[in-house]
Amino acid sequence: MQKHTIAVIIPCLDEELTIASVIQDYHKALPEAEIYVYDNDSTDHTAQQAVKAGAKIRFCTIPGKGAVLRQAFHEVNADIYVLTDGDGTYPPTMVREMIRLYMENPKSIVIGKRKNAKKHAVMSCSHAIGNRFLSVMFHVLYGFENIDVLSGSRIMGRDFVKSFPALYDGFETETEMALHAWMQHFDIQSLDVPYLDRPHGSQSKIHTVRDGIQIVKLALAGRKGTVC
């Protein structure tokens, strides 16, 4: 049976509190994978913690998750790409199942749909409302069924990654991925994944209103065929 190379890509900005445990968890879940941490100009000890935990460290000085992924997708070569966040909110309990889904349909990407792993809400009310609005919007505009557009948990193949233009530097990048999938006729598969609390002292980098407006603008522009 052919073995497929797997790369885990973890964009990070000031995640020294969590990055070591994230790397250790993914080493256990995918011991055959290469783990790459892309430090987006952190001011703490994220890079040092990542190296100690056994990841390959890379640096991106252009601010924004999109800029990180543009560099990472250009530099890293693999058959299967696992994308996750460095804040510990996406435990890799379902990563094997996500990879299995992708292998059944290599002309697809697999998005982890966030489900609270605890009874209390871990996502702010504004973020939850925004995510629901985007889910409905993408269903109306593109026909996607109940996807978690902004999820940081994804499985992608080489064809998708190497063709992804990554035109936007910021948090629009997840939306741009969905638009690229639609325009290039990739299926989007979805699987429920647990979503955990950030540890005390760790802060979300997304700004609900400012980034939300940019994401909605991009989604509307994509339907008109003016991006990607």
Side-chain angles (χ1 to χ4, degrees):
M1 183 177 178
Q2 181 185 1
K3 289 187 177 180
H4 296 275
T5 56
I6 302 174
V8 179
I9 297 176
I10 311 175
C12 277
L13 173 60
D14 295 334
E15 300 290 4
E16 69 175 356
L17 295 176
T18 53
I19 189 57
S21 61
V22 171
I23 293 165
Q24 290 161 4
D25 287 346
Y26 274 86
H27 271 312
K28 292 176 183 176
L30 295 171
E32 72 274 33
E34 295 280 4
I35 298 180
Y36 297 84
V37 169
Y38 273 80
D39 189 312
N40 197 202
D41 216 12
S42 294
T43 58
D44 63 6
H45 296 96
T46 294
Q48 295 92 322
Q49 293 296 325
V51 171
K52 286 181 182 178
K56 295 184 176 181
I57 188 72
R58 301 287 188 271
F59 296 93
C60 176
T61 57
I62 301 172
K65 189 173 184 178
V68 170
L69 294 186
R70 181 165 58 243
Q71 180 178 330
F73 288 174
H74 174 73
E75 293 177 345
V76 177
N77 291 304
D79 298 316
I80 299 170
Y81 294 77
V82 178
L83 180 63
T84 192
D85 288 346
D87 57 14
T89 53
Y90 296 98
T93 52
M94 299 301 293
V95 68
R96 287 280 183 194
E97 182 65 13
M98 292 175 73
I99 291 174
R100 185 192 66 78
L101 280 179
Y102 164 77
M103 293 297 297
E104 290 179 353
N105 180 8
K107 187 65 175 178
S108 73
I109 64 173
V110 181
I111 298 178
K113 184 179 178 184
R114 290 169 286 184
K115 292 292 184 181
N116 292 344
K118 299 179 181 179
K119 290 183 179 180
H120 64 281
V122 297
M123 191 183 298
S124 72
C125 182
S126 59
H127 284 185
I129 292 171
N131 280 352
R132 179 58 184 161
F133 171 78
L134 288 173
S135 177
V136 172
M137 184 180 186
F138 271 81
H139 175 68
V140 171
L141 292 177
Y142 300 101
F144 295 142
E145 291 291 340
N146 200 26
I147 66 169
D148 189 353
V149 179
L150 299 185
S151 173
S153 175
R154 292 163 188 255
I155 306 293
M156 299 158 288
R158 182 191 297 267
D159 288 347
F160 183 89
V161 163
K162 294 303 183 182
S163 66
F164 179 61
L167 300 174
Y168 298 86
D169 290 343
F171 283 101
E172 304 100 321
T173 191
E174 284 97 351
T175 301
E176 187 185 357
M177 285 185 192
L179 300 184
H180 184 65
W182 179 71
M183 296 196 71
Q184 299 299 320
H185 307 292
F186 285 86
D187 294 329
I188 296 182
Q189 303 190 78
S190 184
L191 185 71
D192 288 350
V193 298
Y195 186 65
L196 303 179
D197 281 310
R198 284 173 166 271
H200 180 70
S202 176
Q203 305 245 340
S204 174
K205 312 304 187 297
I206 192 168
H207 296 272
T208 304
V209 176
R210 184 193 68 194
D211 293 320
I213 290 171
Q214 295 304 315
I215 289 164
V216 170
K217 284 182 177 178
L218 179 58
L220 293 172
R223 194 63 182 89
K224 296 175 183 177
T226 56
V227 295
C228 299

